[in-house]
Amino acid sequence: MTEKRQFRAIKGTRDILPPDSALWSGFEQTAREVFESYNFREIRPPIFEETTLFARSIGADTDVVSKEMYTFEDREQFSIANPQSLVDVIRIDEAVADAWHHGRIPHTPANEAEVLRLHEESQKMDREGAPAILRFMDALHKLALGDSITLRPEATASVCRAYIEHGMHTLPGNVKLYYAGPMFRRERPQKGRFRQFYQIGAEVLGPSDAPAIDAEVMEMLVDFFRRVDLRDTTLYVNSIGCRECRPKYVELLRDALRKVKGGLREDSQRRIDTNPLRVLDSKLGEEQPVIETLPRISDHLCPACREHFAKLKNELKLRGIAYQENWRLVRGLDYYTRTTFEVTAPGLGSQNAVCGGGRYDGLVELLGGPAGVKGIGFAIGTDRAILSIQESGKAPKLPGLSVLVAWMGAKSYPAAVAIAKKLRACGVSVDLPAEEMKFKKSLGLADKLGSRYALIIGEDEVASGTYTLKRLADAEQKKFNDNDLLEYLESERRGSRA
Ligand code: HAM
């Protein structure tokens, strides 16, 4: 008998249930409306990509790539994973030979050697038994059967890949794209941090890196947060320089860090060599006084980056966007150049960044695309933004069920089905009990479901062609014929009646 057990969502993943799911849809819908009003258009890239795409764009040494990716081999499964007998071994050996012969195993020299070894071991099985099985299994596991693929930890890399693949650089002007969907990072779950989380992001790719573009994406972001009532946010901006000036600054920073190494904890000490910029991210209280003494990138930008940053700040002012400059905002992904920004929101504890973004001018070229393509974008963490809205108590009350059709008597059922159909066609949310109930019971159900109205259809109503609409809040009842009822509920739905 199969074991009886309850399945649960995997650690770091969760179900978004009603009524929260309606808040999520509304949030995403508003993003679409706002982004499209800035002439962004939707892109839906796949959820998994070649592992190398992420490693190359995000950076092999980043936490995301080195520790957090869900990566697996896209491979053929040989049906017997653990051979128990010689017969199993022979079957696997034959299946591998067949897959090799038909090209289902990539023809690399390393695979060829393992296929041969596997076959040789299968021949020794009779004489040597278990040790040969172990060597056989070893060869089987060493076969590189497919490409390494990864569930996307973010979408900027995919958008750049798609931009290159579809020759979008030939489109006029800058290409403005947005996306919404799940991302995957194997992080330690905590409040506001999940292993499957959702982002809504936007990217601008093309020949221009005018600071007005940077300012416009931030304007769009601020506009969106205002529309969804995400309050008390803070926009932080910084410039982390370019290929010219950043390496020089990083060396300067490294030297300065070496001098104060004693005041830093182990993680930061290690980063002095691996990635000194990340030391600036440290939130450890005891490291803060030391970090405050370090050289600041704003004093070491090259003239072109300094001018770009100054113009960006002017553009933000022009658009009336409040921001704070934060010289420590370096971000955790390697592709950034010049502008970086982040938005924080209240009610989230330590995971308070609801959006991160920045410029990534060399990324398209790094991924094999045309030279000279510039890029900037951001991604909003939907889970966190929604949590912050909920914690502020400002989550909008979403419309629920409008009408429950309380029907009784076999003759009223066809009328109930017909009116439910008409109301739904007008966009009214209707529940029609599938089985007959006494009126008292269906009115009680309407109340429990939070319905605004119960539409009472008994045999008398059917005979007279009128329906009784009961408003549950105050028990007021009105009689309507078909057309008047539709008109009344439609206008009610449009909010023209209280
Ligand atoms: P990111 O800063 O890694 O940037 O992520 C953006 C946002 O996604 C974060 O600010 C946070 O709200 C949310 N987020 C990240 N990890 C998690 C998690 N484990 N659980 C819940 N929320 C999370 C990027 O992903 C870049 N692709 C943004 C970008 C677009 N830069 C340029 N274009």
Side-chain angles (χ1 to χ4, degrees):
M1 219 176 77
T2 44
E3 178 200 3
K4 192 169 177 227
R5 71 175 183 103
Q6 261 194 352
F7 292 96
R8 303 183 71 91
I10 288 169
K11 186 174 173 190
T13 73
R14 62 195 177 132
D15 304 301
I16 313 287
L17 303 173
D20 288 358
S21 49
L23 187 58
W24 278 67
S25 309
F27 186 86
E28 284 170 0
Q29 183 51 33
T30 306
R32 288 173 199 282
E33 284 164 22
V34 173
F35 293 4
E36 288 183 11
S37 76
Y38 283 76
N39 197 29
F40 280 72
R41 295 292 173 256
E42 187 179 11
I43 178 170
R44 293 182 180 228
I47 279 171
F48 52 85
E49 299 263 7
E50 260 183 71
T51 303
T52 332
L53 173 71
F54 299 118
R56 191 173 297 175
S57 29
I58 300 169
D61 292 334
T62 56
D63 283 353
V64 171
V65 171
S66 66
K67 301 188 210 153
E68 298 168 1
M69 296 208 301
Y70 284 97
T71 295
F72 53 97
E73 209 178 316
D74 184 16
R75 54 173 285 179
E76 173 161 349
Q77 300 291 332
F78 288 99
S79 52
I80 313 163
N82 275 314
Q84 304 289 326
S85 66
L86 189 57
V87 178
D88 288 349
V89 166
I90 291 168
R91 285 212 335 245
I92 296 179
D93 186 38
E94 281 172 4
V96 168
D98 185 68
W100 176 259
H101 183 69
H102 289 101
R104 297 199 307 276
I105 297 177
H107 282 196
T108 62
N111 276 347
E112 187 171 10
E114 296 306 335
V115 170
L116 278 176
R117 188 160 77 92
L118 185 134
H119 181 64
E120 280 163 19
E121 296 303 339
S122 76
Q123 305 296 302
K124 295 182 194 160
M125 211 79 67
D126 249 357
R127 273 173 287 125
E128 297 183 26
I133 291 204
L134 288 178
R135 292 195 300 269
F136 176 89
M137 289 304 296
D138 184 57
L140 186 63
H141 286 139
K142 286 209 172 111
L143 282 177
L145 294 176
D147 299 323
S148 175
I149 61 177
T150 292
L151 297 186
R152 64 181 186 193
E154 59 107 54
T156 309
S158 301
V159 172
C160 291
R161 195 258 316 127
Y163 178 87
I164 300 166
E165 188 172 334
H166 303 289
M168 289 192 232
H169 63 284
T170 58
L171 296 173
N174 281 324
V175 175
K176 296 161 134 188
L177 298 167
Y178 74 87
Y179 50 85
M183 310 289 155
F184 306 86
R185 297 184 191 174
R186 200 173 185 288
E187 294 194 80
R188 196 169 47 78
Q190 63 181 91
K191 181 175 178 186
R193 191 155 78 186
F194 304 95
R195 290 181 170 181
Q196 174 173 333
F197 60 98
Y198 293 78
Q199 285 187 345
I200 301 176
E203 315 287 351
V204 184
L205 289 146
S208 170
D209 61 357
I213 302 174
D214 309 34
E216 194 183 71
V217 295
M218 293 185 218
E219 183 183 14
M220 180 166 92
L221 190 62
V222 169
D223 225 3
F224 169 62
F225 283 155
R226 188 182 44 75
R227 285 271 298 272
V228 292
D229 221 0
L230 178 64
R231 298 186 180 194
D232 303 321
T233 54
T234 309
L235 169 67
Y236 295 98
V237 297
N238 191 23
S239 173
I240 57 165
C242 64
R243 260 184 270 174
E244 289 298 310
C245 52
R246 193 174 44 226
K248 292 179 202 151
Y249 168 72
V250 169
E251 275 322 303
L252 204 74
L253 182 66
R254 189 174 268 135
D255 286 345
L257 282 167
R258 285 197 177 116
K259 291 189 190 124
V260 294
K261 192 172 175 178
L264 300 172
R265 294 279 287 274
E266 207 180 306
D267 266 354
S268 294
Q269 289 189 358
R270 195 167 20 83
R271 288 185 172 139
I272 297 178
D273 292 319
T274 57
N275 193 348
L277 282 177
R278 293 308 306 276
V279 177
L280 305 181
D281 262 355
S282 162
K283 306 246 168 12
L284 291 175
E286 66 205 78
E287 293 187 339
Q288 303 310 307
V290 178
I291 292 173
E292 283 305 311
T293 66
L294 295 169
R296 302 182 173 209
I297 185 134
S298 48
D299 298 327
H300 300 277
L301 294 175
C302 64
C305 286
R306 196 172 319 132
E307 188 188 339
H308 191 274
F309 194 32
K311 283 189 173 159
L312 165 64
K313 289 186 272 186
N314 276 336
E315 282 280 349
L316 289 173
K317 212 164 141 206
L318 176 73
R319 289 155 205 260
I321 296 170
Y323 68 90
Q324 284 185 29
E325 215 172 312
N326 178 359
W327 70 278
R328 289 174 56 178
L329 185 65
V330 290
R331 314 259 308 121
L333 316 171
D334 277 1
Y335 49 61
Y336 291 113
T337 54
R338 292 189 167 166
T339 311
T340 54
F341 59 101
E342 228 165 66
V343 178
T344 59
L348 296 168
S350 64
Q351 304 303 312
N352 65 349
V354 288
C355 176
R359 188 160 270 295
Y360 46 88
D361 291 341
L363 184 56
V364 166
E365 191 176 352
L366 181 75
L367 295 176
V373 176
K374 315 291 198 308
I376 181 159
F378 62 77
I380 297 162
T382 309
D383 306 76
R384 292 184 192 173
I386 287 188
L387 196 61
S388 179
I389 294 170
Q390 287 173 324
E391 299 256 324
S392 72
K394 296 289 172 208
K397 267 197 93 52
L398 295 154
L401 175 61
S402 293
V403 178
L404 182 128
V405 183
W407 62 276
M408 216 180 117
K411 285 201 188 126
S412 19
Y413 184 59
V417 170
I419 193 73
K421 193 178 199 132
K422 280 189 194 160
L423 290 174
R424 285 169 177 156
C426 298
V428 179
S429 161
V430 177
D431 218 358
L432 175 70
E435 287 175 63
E436 186 174 14
M437 277 181 223
K438 294 245 158 51
F439 281 129
K440 199 168 168 217
K441 196 163 170 210
S442 44
L443 291 175
L445 179 66
D447 205 31
K448 281 189 202 137
L449 291 175
S451 180
R452 272 172 87 81
Y453 295 100
L455 183 66
I456 299 166
I457 310 183
E459 295 188 349
D460 290 350
E461 277 82 3
V462 174
S464 66
T466 55
Y467 308 106
T468 306
L469 189 71
K470 177 172 179 173
R471 187 157 61 196
L472 289 153
D474 55 9
E476 188 195 76
Q477 299 206 31
K478 279 188 185 163
K479 283 197 183 291
F480 290 95
N481 66 25
D482 244 25
N483 285 343
D484 293 349
L485 178 72
L486 288 184
E487 206 173 286
Y488 178 82
L489 287 173
E490 238 199 315
S491 64
E492 170 84 343
R493 189 177 64 84
R494 278 192 251 104
S496 56
R497 276 172 214 245

